[in-house]
Amino acid sequence: MSTEEKSLHFIEQIIEDSLASGFPQENLRFRFPPEPNGYLHIGHAKSICLNFGLGLKYNAPVNLRFDDTNPAKEEQEYVDAIKHDLHWLGFEWAEERFASDYFQQLYDWAVLMIQNGKAYVDSQSSSAMADQKGTPTQPGIDGPYRNRSVEENLTLFQGMKNGDFPEGSHVLRAKIDMASTNMLMRDPLMYRVLHRHHHRTGDDWKIYPMYDFAHGESDYIEQISHSICTLEFVMHRELYNWFLDQIYDNKKVRPNQYEFARLNLNYTVMSKRKLLQLVQENIVNGWDDPRMPTISGLRRRGYTANSIRKFCDIIGVAKRENVIDVSLLEFCLREDLNKTAPRVMAVLDPIKVIITNYPEGKEESLDAENNQEDEKAGFRKVPFSKELYIEREDFLEEAPAKFFRLSIGREVRLKNAYIIKGESVVKDSEGNITEIHVTYYEDSRSGSGSEASQKKVAGTLHWVSIKHAIEAEVRLYDRLFIDESPDSHKEKNFLDFMNPNSLQIVKGFVEPSLSDVKSDEKFQFQRLGYFNVDKNSTASKLVFNKTVGLKDAWEEKGKKEENLLMNTQKEINKYVKEKDENAAENLLKPIIDNIKSIDNYSLITQTIIKNIKNDNNSLLFSNLILNYSDKVLAKDIEQEPLAKLYSMSLKSQLASVRFFAIQNLEKDLDNLNEFKEQLSDLKANEKNKKVLELLNEL
């Protein structure tokens, strides 16, 4: 196998095999088939890049087909948004189609199937149909209407079409096999009655086809050669083929369905239903809120189409589900913006700096490089004067040895400007610093070539001249969820994991070169991150959205939390060994504070479970986390390990383990009754005064 063949993903290999077997290349045709019931998200981007990428690779047409078979949830707004997203990502479709274009043809095929004894009208309730459909281990049974005559079925189906019946009264079902091991083959629904207005066909139709019927038949009408779906449709493939069998003409191309693994991204929710909930409950500000994983939200935040395409290329196309770290998406973005985004200076938490020996009224225009990664980017002029803003965090009155920024007696460089030295501060009546007074070295200007300009100092700070600075609203966006998999915990609502700091709005100051920026322009605010001009920005009120930081703060935070828990567990040993009660309490306090500071729910629950073992210190650690963390409750832990924790802890020789286990049981009423007998036995034999007092309070 050649190097090129080895690099093919499995869908490409399937196509190559088709061509090698004699399938004409001119008959290759693909499609991207979104349902217009919401905005596209980053998961759809993978499917978009796959389908349109195949079209480009094989010079084959790719249709954009809207599967608009459910008027209860679909809107023209979503159609328009999807088209806009595709154009923005850089893709063009061969034909724009709608499943609703085929409603008459689908209806005619349904009538043909009734005539051929392959479909019937069922008048059972939905619950009755569910009951007679059986279970995965038990076959279904025939319903009471399965053997209606062809004439009765045709009459009823015509009545459904005419709007003679209310919603839920009748459905059309395919007549296949109620004993099939594939439950989807047990007489699936083909049509239901819906008296809803359709965004394209208006009120013409009172019945609408189900997705499984419409999808494959639409592929056939459009002569799609390779119908590519995500893995959840593997079981649907048998039904896809069965429906095609009823209408297939061997003179035409027969579509074949293939499945690939969808994109799963951590710290993200991909369900359209849940994204819609965020919008409808005003938890976010619309589908294009920059915290949303929608393509429109990513675009507004400042993501580039190139970074998303690159991300989809890197993660590849696979047959097995896996979870991709959102940090990889952010990496692709940083890599792209690093090459293209101009560098500018902005101060988001300003504190005033006065250069006491700088001439009053003097102003300078200094050269600043626009982007050191791009030789063609050139330079710009930035104004410099006696009074400046720097970031508040860049100054400490008394600084530790490893503080590489400004402090009293310490020298730093102002980016593109001079070296300054901290001299004194001015404070308000409450002791807050309001001004920093510094001196500068006149011959130390950057790029001047002087000996002073080449002096090494502790660090380099960004700044803006107060006289020339432009005020701006800066929206500091962060991840919407604080848990790696917010919608995967059975006992938790995904909304429980909302990040309270996902949006902070601050008043900042930017250099005057940004006075005439346009919507969607991207910049690197030096030392702060990448920022995008929001669509609501105006000449009189600049608005910037933080796109991404210069470094992965979440990776750093994750490592810090993991290390903090590891170190905290080590402190447990000191606490257990301490005999003096007051000293032990002093050791316990930082342990509790550390536990309370951990945000990562998955890390907390995993740590609890991992430490349920025959070791007193480990049991104590699990009980302390369960007791003091506000991120986890007893009901969040699976019953078997939780019961094991209680049982082992109540038998522990260490009094503190018994004590905190009883405290946890006291709050866990569901399990308290289960352990009444063990608690009673413990009470009869307990020697520790504090534990006994707690038992007596139960």
Side-chain angles (χ1 to χ4, degrees), residues 96-114:
E96 181 178 321
R97 300 288 193 96
F98 293 82
S100 55
D101 294 338
Y102 316 135
F103 278 176
Q104 185 61 53
Q105 176 64 82
L106 293 169
Y107 175 80
D108 292 343
W109 278 333
V111 169
L112 181 64
M113 287 174 61
I114 293 172

Side-chain angles (χ1 to χ4, degrees), residues 394-396 399-415 418-422 441 452-462 527:
D394 282 342
F395 176 79
L396 282 178
K402 291 187 178 181
F403 184 74
F404 301 119
R405 286 170 268 184
L406 183 63
S407 61
I408 301 301
R410 184 172 295 182
E411 297 174 349
V412 294
R413 173 170 293 286
L414 296 174
K415 181 73 175 174
Y418 297 95
I419 294 173
I420 58 171
K421 180 180 180 181
Y441 299 94
S453 71
Q454 297 174 36
K455 182 180 180 181
K456 291 185 177 179
V457 291
T460 300
L461 309 185
H462 63 278
R527 299 177 65 235

Side-chain angles (χ1 to χ4, degrees), residues 324-350:
I324 305 297
D325 196 326
V326 70
S327 296
L328 178 58
L329 176 61
E330 294 171 345
F331 168 80
C332 292
L333 177 63
R334 287 191 193 93
E335 190 177 56
D336 192 40
L337 291 176
N338 184 50
K339 300 170 187 172
T340 59
R343 277 53 167 163
V344 296
M345 290 192 288
V347 176
L348 305 187
D349 185 15

Side-chain angles (χ1 to χ4, degrees), residues 398-443:
E398 296 180 10
K402 291 187 178 181
F403 184 74
F404 301 119
R405 286 170 268 184
L406 183 63
S407 61
I408 301 301
R410 184 172 295 182
E411 297 174 349
V412 294
R413 173 170 293 286
L414 296 174
K415 181 73 175 174
N416 305 308
Y418 297 95
I419 294 173
I420 58 171
K421 180 180 180 181
E423 302 289 354
S424 62
V425 296
V426 175
K427 299 181 179 180
D428 61 18
S429 58
E430 296 179 355
N432 299 310
I433 297 173
T434 57
E435 292 179 6
I436 304 165
H437 289 190
V438 303
T439 53
Y440 88 119
Y441 299 94
E442 185 178 1
D443 58 348

Side-chain angles (χ1 to χ4, degrees), residues 172-349:
L172 184 71
R173 296 176 71 175
K175 195 173 187 178
I176 310 179
D177 179 7
M178 290 303 294
S180 173
T181 54
N182 182 352
M183 288 191 68
L184 294 172
M185 299 297 286
R186 296 179 187 175
D187 292 9
L189 270 59
M190 293 174 60
Y191 273 91
R192 75 283 207 203
V193 177
L194 283 177
H195 296 284
R196 307 293 178 95
H197 183 84
H198 190 279
H199 69 99
R200 293 189 73 247
T201 62
D203 300 316
D204 292 349
W205 290 87
K206 311 301 181 187
I207 55 171
Y208 290 91
M210 301 300 291
Y211 177 85
D212 276 327
F213 175 56
H215 184 74
E217 314 301 76
S218 298
D219 284 344
Y220 180 60
I221 292 170
E222 296 176 25
Q223 290 290 274
I224 303 302
S225 59
H226 296 73
S227 179
I228 301 166
C229 305
T230 45
L231 282 179
E232 62 263 36
F233 290 99
V234 168
M235 294 299 290
H236 295 248
R237 193 196 314 157
E238 186 179 1
L239 182 55
Y240 180 96
N241 289 328
W242 187 89
F243 279 130
L244 284 177
D245 288 341
Q246 311 313 309
I247 60 167
Y248 176 59
D249 178 346
N250 60 17
K251 297 187 181 73
K252 293 185 177 181
V253 171
R254 180 186 174 108
N256 283 288
Q257 178 179 303
Y258 304 98
E259 306 85 16
F260 71 100
R262 66 189 298 173
L263 170 60
N264 297 303
L265 207 59
N266 64 3
Y267 293 98
T268 309
V269 165
M270 294 289 205
S271 160
K272 273 190 191 176
R273 179 179 57 81
K274 290 174 181 174
L275 294 178
L276 178 62
Q277 183 180 346
L278 293 174
V279 173
Q280 290 179 332
E281 295 182 12
N282 296 317
I283 296 169
V284 296
N285 300 313
W287 286 96
D288 70 343
D289 186 299
R291 294 166 290 180
M292 290 280 273
T294 54
I295 293 174
S296 57
L298 295 170
R299 179 170 59 244
R300 187 173 178 186
R301 184 157 175 169
Y303 274 75
T304 63
N306 187 56
S307 66
I308 293 174
R309 292 195 305 268
K310 179 68 173 177
F311 170 70
C312 292
D313 182 53
I314 289 174
I315 62 176
V317 180
K319 293 182 181 181
R320 296 181 63 183
E321 297 277 9
N322 64 337
V323 179
I324 305 297
D325 196 326
V326 70
S327 296
L328 178 58
L329 176 61
E330 294 171 345
F331 168 80
C332 292
L333 177 63
R334 287 191 193 93
E335 190 177 56
D336 192 40
L337 291 176
N338 184 50
K339 300 170 187 172
T340 59
R343 277 53 167 163
V344 296
M345 290 192 288
V347 176
L348 305 187
D349 185 15

